[in-house]
Coordinates of all heavy atoms in Angstrom, one line a residue:
M1 N -21.0 32.9 0.9 CA -22.1 33.4 0.0 C -21.6 34.7 -0.6 O -21.8 34.8 -1.8 CB -23.3 33.8 0.9 CG -24.5 34.2 0.1 SD -25.1 32.8 -0.7 CE -26.9 33.0 -0.5
A2 N -20.8 35.6 0.0 CA -20.3 36.7 -0.6 C -19.3 36.4 -1.7 O -19.3 37.1 -2.8 CB -19.6 37.6 0.5
W3 N -18.6 35.4 -1.5 CA -17.6 34.9 -2.6 C -18.3 34.6 -3.9 O -18.0 35.0 -4.9 CB -16.8 33.8 -2.1 CG -16.0 33.1 -3.1 CD1 -16.3 31.9 -3.8 CD2 -14.8 33.5 -3.8 NE1 -15.3 31.6 -4.7 CE2 -14.4 32.5 -4.7 CE3 -13.9 34.6 -3.6 CZ2 -13.2 32.6 -5.5 CZ3 -12.8 34.7 -4.4 CH2 -12.5 33.8 -5.3
A4 N -19.4 33.8 -3.8 CA -20.2 33.3 -4.8 C -20.8 34.5 -5.6 O -20.9 34.5 -6.8 CB -21.2 32.3 -4.4
E5 N -21.3 35.5 -4.8 CA -22.0 36.6 -5.4 C -21.0 37.5 -6.1 O -21.4 38.1 -7.1 CB -22.7 37.4 -4.3 CG -23.9 36.7 -3.7 CD -24.5 37.4 -2.5 OE1 -24.0 38.5 -2.2 OE2 -25.5 36.8 -1.9
N6 N -19.8 37.7 -5.7 CA -18.9 38.6 -6.2 C -17.9 38.0 -7.1 O -17.0 38.6 -7.8 CB -18.1 39.4 -5.1 CG -19.0 40.2 -4.4 OD1 -19.8 41.0 -4.9 ND2 -18.9 40.2 -3.0
Q7 N -17.9 36.7 -7.4 CA -17.0 36.0 -8.2 C -16.9 36.5 -9.6 O -15.8 36.6 -10.2 CB -17.3 34.5 -8.2 CG -16.3 33.6 -8.7 CD -16.5 32.1 -8.4 OE1 -17.6 31.8 -7.9 NE2 -15.6 31.3 -8.8
S8 N -18.0 36.8 -10.2 CA -18.1 37.3 -11.5 C -17.4 38.7 -11.7 O -17.1 39.1 -12.8 CB -19.5 37.4 -12.0 OG -20.3 38.3 -11.3
K9 N -17.2 39.3 -10.7 CA -16.6 40.7 -10.7 C -15.0 40.8 -10.7 O -14.4 41.7 -11.0 CB -17.1 41.6 -9.6 CG -18.5 41.8 -9.5 CD -19.0 42.6 -8.2 CE -20.5 42.6 -8.2 NZ -20.9 43.2 -6.9
F10 N -14.5 39.5 -10.4 CA -13.0 39.5 -10.4 C -12.4 39.4 -11.8 O -13.0 38.7 -12.6 CB -12.6 38.2 -9.6 CG -12.9 38.2 -8.1 CD1 -13.5 37.2 -7.5 CD2 -12.5 39.3 -7.4 CE1 -13.7 37.2 -6.2 CE2 -12.8 39.3 -6.0 CZ -13.4 38.3 -5.4
D11 N -11.3 40.0 -12.0 CA -10.5 39.9 -13.2 C -9.6 38.7 -13.1 O -8.7 38.7 -12.3 CB -9.7 41.2 -13.4 CG -8.9 41.2 -14.7 OD1 -9.1 40.3 -15.5 OD2 -8.0 42.1 -14.9
P12 N -9.9 37.7 -13.9 CA -9.1 36.5 -13.8 C -7.6 36.7 -14.1 O -6.8 35.9 -13.5 CB -9.7 35.5 -14.9 CG -10.9 36.2 -15.4 CD -10.9 37.6 -15.0
D13 N -7.2 37.7 -14.8 CA -5.7 38.0 -15.1 C -5.1 38.6 -13.8 O -3.8 38.6 -13.8 CB -5.6 38.9 -16.2 CG -6.0 38.3 -17.5 OD1 -5.9 37.0 -17.6 OD2 -6.5 39.0 -18.4
R14 N -5.8 39.0 -12.8 CA -5.2 39.5 -11.6 C -5.2 38.5 -10.5 O -4.6 38.8 -9.5 CB -6.0 40.8 -11.2 CG -5.8 41.9 -12.1 CD -6.5 43.2 -11.6 NE -6.1 43.4 -10.2 CZ -5.4 44.5 -9.8 NH1 -5.0 45.3 -10.7 NH2 -5.1 44.5 -8.5
L15 N -5.9 37.3 -10.6 CA -5.9 36.3 -9.5 C -4.6 35.5 -9.6 O -4.1 35.2 -10.6 CB -7.1 35.4 -9.7 CG -8.5 36.0 -9.6 CD1 -9.5 35.0 -9.9 CD2 -8.6 36.6 -8.1
I16 N -4.2 35.2 -8.4 CA -2.9 34.4 -8.2 C -3.2 33.3 -7.1 O -3.7 33.7 -6.0 CB -1.7 35.1 -7.7 CG1 -1.4 36.3 -8.7 CG2 -0.5 34.2 -7.5 CD1 -0.3 37.1 -8.3
F17 N -3.1 32.1 -7.5 CA -3.4 31.0 -6.5 C -2.0 30.4 -6.1 O -1.2 30.1 -7.0 CB -4.2 29.9 -7.1 CG -5.7 30.4 -7.5 CD1 -5.9 30.9 -8.7 CD2 -6.6 30.4 -6.5 CE1 -7.2 31.3 -9.0 CE2 -7.9 30.9 -6.8 CZ -8.2 31.3 -8.1
I18 N -1.8 30.2 -4.8 CA -0.6 29.7 -4.3 C -0.8 28.2 -4.2 O -1.7 27.7 -3.6 CB -0.2 30.2 -2.9 CG1 -0.2 31.8 -2.9 CG2 1.1 29.6 -2.4 CD1 0.8 32.4 -3.8
D19 N 0.2 27.4 -4.9 CA 0.1 26.0 -4.9 C 1.4 25.4 -4.3 O 2.4 25.9 -4.5 CB -0.1 25.5 -6.3 CG -0.4 24.0 -6.3 OD1 -1.1 23.5 -5.5 OD2 0.3 23.3 -7.2
E20 N 1.2 24.4 -3.5 CA 2.3 23.6 -2.9 C 2.3 22.1 -3.2 O 1.2 21.6 -3.1 CB 2.3 23.9 -1.4 CG 3.4 23.1 -0.6 CD 3.2 23.1 0.8 OE1 2.2 23.5 1.4 OE2 4.1 22.6 1.5
S21 N 3.4 21.6 -3.5 CA 3.4 20.1 -3.8 C 4.7 19.7 -3.2 O 5.7 20.5 -3.1 CB 3.4 19.9 -5.3 OG 3.5 18.6 -5.5
G22 N 4.8 18.4 -2.8 CA 6.1 18.0 -2.2 C 6.2 16.4 -2.4 O 5.3 15.8 -2.7
T23 N 7.5 16.0 -2.1 CA 7.8 14.5 -2.1 C 8.8 14.3 -1.0 O 9.5 15.2 -0.5 CB 8.3 14.1 -3.5 OG1 8.4 12.8 -3.5 CG2 9.6 14.8 -3.8
N24 N 8.9 13.1 -0.6 CA 9.7 12.6 0.4 C 10.4 11.3 0.1 O 9.8 10.5 -0.6 CB 8.8 12.5 1.7 CG 9.6 12.3 2.9 OD1 10.5 11.4 2.9 ND2 9.3 13.0 4.0
T25 N 11.7 11.2 0.4 CA 12.4 9.9 0.1 C 11.7 8.7 0.9 O 12.0 7.5 0.6 CB 13.8 10.0 0.3 OG1 14.1 10.4 1.7 CG2 14.4 10.9 -0.6
K26 N 11.0 9.0 1.9 CA 10.3 7.9 2.7 C 9.2 7.4 1.9 O 8.6 6.3 2.3 CB 9.7 8.5 4.0 CG 10.8 8.7 5.0 CD 10.0 9.2 6.4 CE 11.0 9.5 7.4 NZ 10.3 9.9 8.7
M27 N 8.9 7.9 0.7 CA 7.7 7.5 -0.1 C 8.1 6.3 -1.0 O 7.4 5.9 -1.8 CB 7.2 8.6 -0.9 CG 6.6 9.8 -0.2 SD 6.2 11.2 -1.1 CE 4.7 10.6 -2.0
A28 N 9.2 5.6 -0.6 CA 9.7 4.4 -1.4 C 8.7 3.3 -1.1 O 8.1 3.2 -0.1 CB 11.1 4.1 -1.0
R29 N 8.6 2.4 -2.1 CA 7.6 1.3 -2.0 C 8.1 0.4 -0.9 O 9.3 0.1 -0.8 CB 7.6 0.6 -3.3 CG 6.9 1.3 -4.4 CD 6.9 0.5 -5.7 NE 6.1 1.2 -6.7 CZ 5.4 0.6 -7.5 NH1 5.2 -0.7 -7.5 NH2 4.7 1.3 -8.4
L30 N 7.2 -0.1 -0.2 CA 7.5 -1.1 0.8 C 7.3 -2.6 0.3 O 7.8 -3.5 1.0 CB 6.5 -0.9 2.0 CG 6.6 0.4 2.7 CD1 5.6 0.5 3.8 CD2 8.0 0.7 3.3
R31 N 6.7 -2.7 -0.8 CA 6.4 -4.0 -1.4 C 6.8 -4.0 -2.9 O 6.8 -3.0 -3.5 CB 5.1 -4.5 -1.2 CG 4.8 -4.7 0.3 CD 3.3 -4.8 0.6 NE 3.0 -4.9 1.9 CZ 2.9 -3.9 2.8 NH1 3.3 -2.7 2.4 NH2 2.6 -4.1 4.1
G32 N 7.1 -5.2 -3.5 CA 7.3 -5.3 -4.9 C 7.0 -6.7 -5.4 O 6.4 -7.5 -4.7
R33 N 7.3 -6.9 -6.6 CA 7.0 -8.2 -7.3 C 8.3 -8.8 -7.7 O 9.2 -8.2 -8.3 CB 6.1 -8.0 -8.5 CG 4.7 -7.6 -8.0 CD 3.9 -7.4 -9.2 NE 2.6 -6.9 -8.8 CZ 1.4 -7.2 -9.4 NH1 1.4 -8.1 -10.4 NH2 0.3 -6.7 -9.0
A34 N 8.4 -10.2 -7.7 CA 9.5 -10.9 -8.1 C 8.9 -12.3 -8.7 O 7.9 -12.7 -8.2 CB 10.5 -11.1 -7.1
P35 N 9.6 -12.9 -9.6 CA 9.1 -14.3 -10.0 C 9.0 -15.2 -8.8 O 9.8 -15.0 -7.9 CB 10.2 -14.7 -11.0 CG 10.8 -13.4 -11.5 CD 10.8 -12.5 -10.3
R36 N 8.1 -16.1 -8.9 CA 7.8 -17.0 -7.8 C 9.1 -17.8 -7.5 O 9.8 -18.3 -8.3 CB 6.8 -18.0 -8.2 CG 6.4 -19.0 -7.1 CD 5.2 -19.9 -7.5 NE 4.0 -19.1 -7.7 CZ 3.0 -19.1 -6.9 NH1 3.0 -19.8 -5.7 NH2 2.0 -18.3 -7.1
G37 N 9.5 -17.8 -6.2 CA 10.6 -18.5 -5.7 C 11.9 -17.7 -5.8 O 12.9 -18.1 -5.3
Q38 N 11.9 -16.5 -6.3 CA 13.0 -15.6 -6.3 C 12.8 -14.4 -5.4 O 11.7 -13.9 -5.2 CB 13.3 -15.0 -7.6 CG 13.7 -16.2 -8.6 CD 14.0 -15.5 -10.0 OE1 14.3 -14.4 -10.1 NE2 14.0 -16.4 -11.0
R39 N 13.9 -14.0 -4.7 CA 13.8 -12.8 -3.8 C 13.8 -11.6 -4.6 O 14.5 -11.4 -5.5 CB 15.1 -13.1 -2.9 CG 15.1 -12.0 -1.8 CD 16.4 -12.2 -0.9 NE 16.3 -11.3 0.2 CZ 16.0 -11.6 1.4 NH1 15.8 -12.9 1.7 NH2 16.0 -10.8 2.4
L40 N 13.1 -10.6 -4.1 CA 13.0 -9.3 -4.7 C 14.2 -8.5 -4.1 O 14.4 -8.4 -2.9 CB 11.7 -8.7 -4.3 CG 11.7 -7.2 -4.8 CD1 11.6 -7.1 -6.3 CD2 10.4 -6.4 -4.3
V41 N 15.0 -7.9 -5.0 CA 16.1 -7.1 -4.6 C 15.8 -5.7 -5.1 O 15.6 -5.5 -6.2 CB 17.5 -7.6 -5.1 CG1 18.6 -6.6 -4.6 CG2 17.7 -9.0 -4.6
G42 N 15.8 -4.7 -4.2 CA 15.5 -3.4 -4.6 C 16.3 -2.4 -3.7 O 16.6 -2.8 -2.5
K43 N 16.6 -1.2 -4.1 CA 17.4 -0.3 -3.4 C 16.6 0.9 -3.0 O 15.9 1.5 -3.9 CB 18.7 0.1 -4.1 CG 19.6 -1.1 -4.2 CD 20.9 -0.7 -4.9 CE 21.8 -1.9 -5.1 NZ 23.1 -1.6 -5.7
I44 N 16.6 1.3 -1.8 CA 15.9 2.6 -1.4 C 16.9 3.3 -0.5 O 17.7 2.7 0.2 CB 14.6 2.3 -0.7 CG1 14.7 1.5 0.6 CG2 13.6 1.7 -1.7 CD1 13.5 1.4 1.4
P45 N 16.8 4.6 -0.4 CA 17.7 5.3 0.6 C 17.3 4.9 2.0 O 16.2 4.8 2.4 CB 17.4 6.7 0.3 CG 16.1 6.8 -0.4 CD 15.9 5.4 -1.1
Y46 N 18.3 4.7 2.8 CA 18.1 4.4 4.2 C 18.7 5.3 5.1 O 20.0 5.5 5.0 CB 18.6 3.0 4.6 CG 18.3 2.5 5.9 CD1 17.0 2.2 6.4 CD2 19.4 2.6 6.8 CE1 16.8 1.9 7.7 CE2 19.2 2.3 8.2 CZ 17.9 1.9 8.6 OH 17.7 1.5 9.9
G47 N 18.0 6.0 6.0 CA 18.6 6.9 6.9 C 19.0 8.3 6.4 O 19.5 9.2 7.1
H48 N 18.8 8.6 5.2 CA 19.0 9.9 4.6 C 17.7 10.5 4.1 O 17.5 10.8 2.9 CB 20.1 9.8 3.5 CG 21.4 9.3 3.9 ND1 21.7 8.0 4.2 CD2 22.5 10.0 4.2 CE1 22.9 7.9 4.6 NE2 23.5 9.1 4.6
W49 N 16.8 10.7 4.9 CA 15.5 11.1 4.5 C 15.5 12.6 4.0 O 16.0 13.4 4.8 CB 14.4 10.9 5.6 CG 14.4 9.5 6.1 CD1 14.6 9.1 7.5 CD2 14.2 8.3 5.4 NE1 14.5 7.8 7.6 CE2 14.3 7.3 6.3 CE3 13.9 8.0 4.1 CZ2 14.1 5.9 5.9 CZ3 13.7 6.7 3.7 CH2 13.8 5.7 4.7
K50 N 15.0 12.9 2.9 CA 14.9 14.2 2.4 C 13.5 14.6 2.0 O 12.8 13.7 1.5 CB 15.9 14.4 1.2 CG 17.3 14.0 1.4 CD 18.0 15.2 2.2 CE 19.5 14.9 2.3 NZ 20.1 15.8 3.2
T51 N 13.2 15.8 2.2 CA 11.9 16.3 1.8 C 12.2 17.5 0.8 O 12.9 18.4 1.1 CB 11.1 16.9 3.0 OG1 10.9 15.8 3.9 CG2 9.7 17.4 2.6
T52 N 11.4 17.4 -0.3 CA 11.5 18.5 -1.3 C 10.1 19.0 -1.5 O 9.1 18.3 -1.7 CB 12.0 17.9 -2.7 OG1 13.2 17.3 -2.5 CG2 12.1 19.0 -3.7
T53 N 10.0 20.4 -1.4 CA 8.7 21.1 -1.4 C 8.9 22.1 -2.6 O 9.8 22.8 -2.7 CB 8.4 21.8 -0.1 OG1 8.4 20.8 0.9 CG2 7.0 22.5 -0.2
F54 N 7.8 22.1 -3.4 CA 7.7 23.1 -4.6 C 6.5 24.0 -4.3 O 5.4 23.5 -4.1 CB 7.6 22.3 -5.8 CG 7.5 23.1 -7.1 CD1 8.6 23.8 -7.6 CD2 6.2 23.4 -7.7 CE1 8.5 24.6 -8.7 CE2 6.1 24.2 -8.8 CZ 7.3 24.9 -9.3
V55 N 6.8 25.3 -4.3 CA 5.7 26.3 -4.1 C 5.8 27.3 -5.3 O 6.9 27.7 -5.7 CB 5.9 27.1 -2.8 CG1 4.9 28.1 -2.6 CG2 6.0 26.1 -1.6
A56 N 4.6 27.7 -5.8 CA 4.6 28.6 -6.9 C 3.2 29.3 -6.9 O 2.2 28.8 -6.4 CB 4.8 27.9 -8.2
G57 N 3.2 30.4 -7.6 CA 2.0 31.2 -7.8 C 1.4 30.8 -9.1 O 2.2 30.9 -10.2
L58 N 0.2 30.5 -9.2 CA -0.4 30.1 -10.5 C -1.4 31.3 -11.0 O -2.3 31.6 -10.3 CB -1.3 28.8 -10.3 CG -0.6 27.5 -9.8 CD1 -1.5 26.5 -9.6 CD2 0.5 27.2 -10.9
R59 N -1.1 31.7 -12.1 CA -1.9 32.7 -12.7 C -2.6 32.1 -13.9 O -2.4 31.0 -14.3 CB -1.0 33.9 -13.2 CG -0.4 34.6 -12.2 CD 0.4 35.9 -12.7 NE 1.2 36.5 -11.8 CZ 1.0 37.8 -11.5 NH1 0.1 38.5 -12.2 NH2 1.7 38.5 -10.5
S60 N -3.6 32.8 -14.5 CA -4.3 32.3 -15.6 C -3.4 32.0 -16.9 O -3.7 31.2 -17.7 CB -5.5 33.2 -16.0 OG -4.9 34.4 -16.5
S61 N -2.3 32.6 -16.9 CA -1.5 32.5 -18.2 C 0.0 32.0 -17.9 O 0.6 31.7 -18.9 CB -1.4 33.9 -18.9 OG -0.8 34.8 -18.0
V62 N 0.5 32.0 -16.7 CA 1.8 31.7 -16.4 C 2.0 31.2 -14.9 O 1.2 31.6 -14.1 CB 2.7 33.0 -16.7 CG1 2.4 34.1 -15.6 CG2 4.2 32.6 -16.7
L63 N 3.1 30.5 -14.7 CA 3.5 30.1 -13.4 C 4.5 31.2 -12.9 O 5.4 31.5 -13.5 CB 4.2 28.7 -13.5 CG 4.7 28.1 -12.3 CD1 3.5 27.5 -11.5 CD2 5.8 27.0 -12.5
T64 N 4.2 31.6 -11.7 CA 5.0 32.8 -11.2 C 5.7 32.4 -9.9 O 5.2 31.6 -9.0 CB 4.0 33.9 -10.8 OG1 3.2 34.2 -11.9 CG2 4.7 35.2 -10.3
A65 N 6.9 32.9 -9.7 CA 7.7 32.8 -8.5 C 7.9 31.4 -8.0 O 7.5 31.1 -6.9 CB 7.1 33.7 -7.4
P66 N 8.4 30.4 -8.8 CA 8.6 29.0 -8.4 C 9.7 29.1 -7.3 O 10.7 29.8 -7.4 CB 8.9 28.3 -9.6 CG 9.5 29.3 -10.5 CD 8.8 30.6 -10.2
C67 N 9.6 28.2 -6.3 CA 10.5 28.1 -5.3 C 10.6 26.6 -4.9 O 9.6 26.0 -4.6 CB 10.1 28.9 -4.1 SG 11.2 28.8 -2.7
V68 N 11.8 26.0 -4.8 CA 12.0 24.6 -4.3 C 12.8 24.7 -3.0 O 13.8 25.3 -2.9 CB 12.8 23.9 -5.3 CG1 13.1 22.4 -4.8 CG2 12.1 23.7 -6.6
V69 N 12.3 24.0 -2.0 CA 12.8 24.0 -0.7 C 13.2 22.5 -0.4 O 12.4 21.6 -0.5 CB 11.9 24.5 0.4 CG1 12.5 24.4 1.8 CG2 11.5 25.9 0.1
V70 N 14.4 22.3 -0.1 CA 15.0 20.9 0.2 C 15.4 20.9 1.7 O 16.2 21.7 2.2 CB 16.1 20.5 -0.7 CG1 16.6 19.1 -0.3 CG2 15.7 20.6 -2.2
R71 N 14.8 19.9 2.4 CA 15.2 19.7 3.8 C 15.7 18.4 4.1 O 15.3 17.4 3.5 CB 14.0 20.0 4.7 CG 13.6 21.5 4.7 CD 12.5 21.8 5.8 NE 11.2 21.5 5.2 CZ 10.2 21.1 5.9 NH1 10.2 21.0 7.2 NH2 9.1 20.9 5.3

């Protein structure tokens, strides 16, 4: 309730929202399509799982302090 009441008092140019997004090599498709009667051949990484995370501060006019973490 206090947030809603005081929201109009905030200066939008001073707000920073932290956003995180990521991807993983395990996110490869498990299924695919091939013409009837033909085997589907596709390559995905096996046993070398990597995770990439992207973190940044979002301002009203610019993206601030981007950081990429690879594990």
Side-chain angles (χ1 to χ4, degrees):
M1 189 71 139
W3 167 259
E5 293 171 358
N6 293 315
Q7 193 172 4
S8 63
K9 299 175 187 174
F10 292 130
D11 179 11
D13 293 329
R14 293 185 48 116
L15 293 176
I16 303 173
F17 296 93
I18 306 300
D19 185 41
E20 175 190 8
S21 181
T23 187
N24 187 314
T25 55
K26 285 185 183 180
M27 296 173 77
R29 292 179 174 218
L30 299 177
R31 294 167 183 78
R33 294 179 182 214
R36 184 176 296 253
Q38 294 185 17
R39 185 180 185 103
L40 174 67
V41 178
K43 296 181 179 183
I44 60 170
Y46 179 77
H48 295 82
W49 308 123
K50 299 287 184 188
T51 301
T52 302
T53 304
F54 178 76
V55 181
L58 302 173
R59 294 179 182 244
S60 63
S61 60
V62 69
L63 183 73
T64 305
C67 177
V68 176
V69 179
V70 179
R71 291 189 274 153

